[in-house]
Amino acid sequence: MSDHSPAPVAAFEPPYYAAVFTSMRTEGDGGYGETAERMDELVKEIPGYLGMDYARTPGGLAITVGYFRDEDAIKEWSAHAEHRAAQRRGRAEWYERYTLHIAKVERSHGFERADG
């Protein structure tokens, strides 16, 4: 995950799941950027992965929302060996604190302004 915000993910056909990860980082990079990029590559290989939104506040709060078709996709991602190793390293080095919320999305819609 880079420091720039990608375009928001389009609305999906419900139901689907959102994994909302909020975090406060420690100082320094310590390999975080490379690991985040690797996780971005790996999660795309999970059947049922739909996309991701990411934002960071000037104060350092980061919010990542991963979208998954079903709970099985989330479980597969959670159990992925490289992801598990990154989670352990995150607790040891990269995060002051974090929370993870898993939510079932029952309604979804979007808006995009047409270029004028």
Side-chain angles (χ1 to χ4, degrees):
M1 288 175 274
S2 62
D3 284 342
H4 70 283
S5 297
V9 172
F12 301 109
E13 184 64 33
Y16 60 92
Y17 288 80
V20 183
F21 182 75
T22 59
S23 63
M24 290 293 291
R25 290 274 319 280
T26 57
E27 293 294 322
D29 183 77
Y32 178 85
E34 291 172 3
T35 301
E37 287 179 23
R38 176 67 178 152
M39 295 302 105
D40 285 348
E41 293 170 9
L42 289 176
V43 72
K44 291 173 184 172
E45 298 173 5
I46 301 296
Y49 171 74
L50 300 173
M52 181 185 310
D53 286 325
Y54 174 80
R56 184 184 309 206
T57 68
L61 175 68
I63 303 170
T64 303
V65 184
Y67 303 99
F68 297 85
R69 177 54 51 206
D70 52 38
E71 287 183 282
D72 289 341
I74 293 172
K75 289 174 185 173
E76 184 172 340
W77 176 235
S78 180
H80 190 285
E82 280 189 65
H83 185 213
R84 304 276 302 173
Q87 290 170 341
R88 286 189 298 273
R89 192 166 176 201
R91 286 188 295 273
E93 298 178 43
W94 297 320
Y95 297 115
E96 290 291 336
R97 64 180 180 275
Y98 67 81
T99 59
L100 174 66
H101 306 277
I102 306 296
K104 183 176 183 180
V105 178
E106 298 190 14
R107 287 187 300 278
S108 178
H109 68 273
F111 168 81
E112 185 171 333
R113 186 171 307 283
D115 291 336

